[in-house]
Amino acid sequence: MSTKLFVGNLSFNTTENDLQDAFAAHGTVVETNLMMDRMSGRPRGFAFVTMGSPEEAQKAIEAMNGKQLDGRALTVNIARPREERAGGGGGGPRREFRGGGGGRGGGGGGRDRY
């Protein structure tokens, strides 16, 4: 059974291959997944590394947490399951927005002003 690790505080220069090489010294690396920003295409500074077994994952945490990689001290721990998030811009009931600026005289919001 494989175990997924969260790896944070990554340098923007770190690649998936760098992670693969660094973690392979501590066990079988099943997968590396460097998270990228959708808009800019740049790395977001964290990744997930899946190790072959819980024992290998624990060895990797002990060896890599706080270790320097590309000039940054890594944060390595067991990845938590992704929390459910409401889809589309903040969740909650959708409201129709009129005008802007809020409060008095902000955007008009459909009023006639003379």
Side-chain angles (χ1 to χ4, degrees):
M1 167 143 179
S2 60
T3 301
K4 187 177 277 194
L5 301 177
F6 168 83
V7 183
N9 198 34
L10 291 173
S11 163
F12 293 132
N13 298 323
T14 302
T15 67
E16 285 186 355
N17 286 339
D18 294 336
L19 290 171
Q20 171 86 27
D21 294 344
F23 280 82
H26 309 289
T28 304
V29 177
V30 176
E31 178 183 30
T32 57
N33 191 357
L34 182 63
M35 305 310 289
M36 305 294 277
D37 183 86
R38 288 184 198 156
M39 300 297 276
S40 69
R42 289 179 36 145
R44 293 183 61 194
F46 69 96
F48 294 98
V49 176
T50 305
M51 300 298 289
S53 71
E55 295 79 21
E56 291 173 331
Q58 192 58 45
K59 275 179 48 179
I61 290 170
E62 291 168 6
M64 298 298 292
N65 190 38
K67 184 177 179 190
Q68 295 280 323
L69 182 65
D70 287 333
R72 306 286 300 257
L74 299 181
T75 301
V76 182
N77 50 45
I78 300 288
R80 294 191 305 260
R82 186 172 178 166
E83 294 180 13
E84 288 297 316
R85 298 191 313 178
R94 294 262 320 153
R95 295 185 307 195
E96 184 177 330
F97 291 98
R98 292 190 160 167
R104 298 182 167 266
R111 295 195 321 242
D112 291 332
R113 293 181 76 189
Y114 295 101

